[in-house]
């Protein structure tokens, strides 16, 4: 019997939810915690469920709906993503974190997205995370390349192929890093001596 790898948990919105991660990454044990329409606030609210899975790797792709549906500022997205990363690092000290840049979408959002991505790229090292800039592979200037989308936001099969072309090597790099901390056994605080 082959030993099953610890899960790679995909966390995000519909772009994550619609991904066929098991099929695309057959050598990985994947968990899809993408929620269509989700925002950075939504991810923050459900971090307990992420921590409960005890994943080895977390791939976080979130933020586009904050801009689109909720007209949030770049600062709001950056602050929330930073809080998500810091919380995950604290709760899962050995987890390997991969933050994916907010993907390109319609041109009207590019200024805010690029500003958020610039800040997040600079921040990830402070919580021992890796950053995947997927913008160059998916954009046509200031918007999501028409070859990769039918609606200016969601990815088509070709869009996912282009994204996977960036994601797979990034996952390999994340896997190749030394663990962030030694493994430890959780202590049941109710039964631990005072």
């Amino acid at each position: 019997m082959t030993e099953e790898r610890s899960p790679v948990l995909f966390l995000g919105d519909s772009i994550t939810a619609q991904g066929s991660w098991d099929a695309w990454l057959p050598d990985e044990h994947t968990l899809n915690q993408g929620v269509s329409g989700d925002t950075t606030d939504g991810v923050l609210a459900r971090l307990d469920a992420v921590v409960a899975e005890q994943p080895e790797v977390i791939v976080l792709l979130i933020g586009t709906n904050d801009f689109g549906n909720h007209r949030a500022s770049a600062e709001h997205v950056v602050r929330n993503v930073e809080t998500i990363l810091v919380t995950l690092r604290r709760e899962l000290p050995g987890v390997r974190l991969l933050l994916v840049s907010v993907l390109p979408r319609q041109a009207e959002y590019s200024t805010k997205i690029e500003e958020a991505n610039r800040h997040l790229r600079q921040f990830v090292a402070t919580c021992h995370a890796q950053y995947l800039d997927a913008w160059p592979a998916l954009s046509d200037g200031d918007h999501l390349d028409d070859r990769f989308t039918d609606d200016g936001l969601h990815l088509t099969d070709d869009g996912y192929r282009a994204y996977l072309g960036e994601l797979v090597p990034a996952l390999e790099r994340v896997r190749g890093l030394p663990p962030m901390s030694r493994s430890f056994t959780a202590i049941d605080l109710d039964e631990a001596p005072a």
Side-chain angles (χ1 to χ4, degrees), residues 35-53:
V35 173
S36 292
D38 210 359
T39 62
T40 57
D41 292 302
V43 169
L44 271 171
R46 58 194 177 90
L47 284 182
D48 286 348
V50 174
V51 171
E53 294 291 349

Side-chain angles (χ1 to χ4, degrees), residues 7-194:
V8 176
L9 188 145
F10 288 85
L11 182 58
D13 51 37
S14 59
I15 294 167
T16 295
Q18 294 169 10
S20 301
W21 308 113
D22 280 338
W24 296 336
L25 302 168
D27 295 335
E28 298 286 359
H29 169 206
T30 64
L31 296 170
N32 190 338
Q33 287 200 4
V35 173
S36 292
D38 210 359
T39 62
T40 57
D41 292 302
V43 169
L44 271 171
R46 58 194 177 90
L47 284 182
D48 286 348
V50 174
V51 171
E53 294 291 349
Q54 294 292 302
E56 181 178 349
V57 177
I58 296 174
V59 178
L60 175 62
L61 171 58
I62 195 69
T64 196
N65 291 323
D66 293 71
F67 296 127
N69 301 342
H70 302 274
R71 304 291 179 196
S73 65
E75 292 79 11
H76 177 84
V77 171
V78 168
R79 187 171 52 251
N80 277 358
V81 171
E82 288 176 353
T83 302
I84 291 165
L85 292 172
V86 167
T87 302
L88 289 171
R89 174 58 61 222
R90 184 182 67 238
E91 299 297 319
L92 298 166
V95 76
R96 299 166 192 268
L97 294 170
L98 178 62
L99 175 65
V100 181
S101 61
V102 180
L103 302 184
R105 57 179 297 171
Q106 299 93 340
E108 67 195 84
Y109 301 100
S110 67
T111 301
K112 280 185 175 180
I113 292 173
E114 288 175 344
E115 181 184 347
N117 284 340
R118 191 168 45 253
H119 287 286
L120 292 170
R121 180 185 299 113
Q122 293 168 354
F123 176 78
V124 291
T126 65
C127 57
H128 303 291
Q130 296 290 307
Y131 184 80
L132 169 57
D133 184 1
W135 186 281
L138 295 172
S139 71
D140 179 8
D142 63 357
H143 63 280
L144 181 56
D145 193 315
D146 293 339
R147 297 174 300 156
F148 300 142
T149 185
D150 291 329
D151 62 3
L153 172 61
H154 296 96
L155 299 177
T156 60
D157 288 346
D158 284 342
Y160 276 109
R161 270 190 283 279
Y163 176 40
L164 282 166
E166 302 299 312
L167 180 63
V168 169
L171 276 173
E172 289 169 355
R173 282 193 306 275
V174 167
R175 285 269 192 209
L177 293 175
M180 293 297 130
S181 70
R182 62 181 176 80
S183 31
F184 63 95
T185 306
I187 297 170
D188 185 343
L189 295 177
D190 294 333
E191 293 180 14

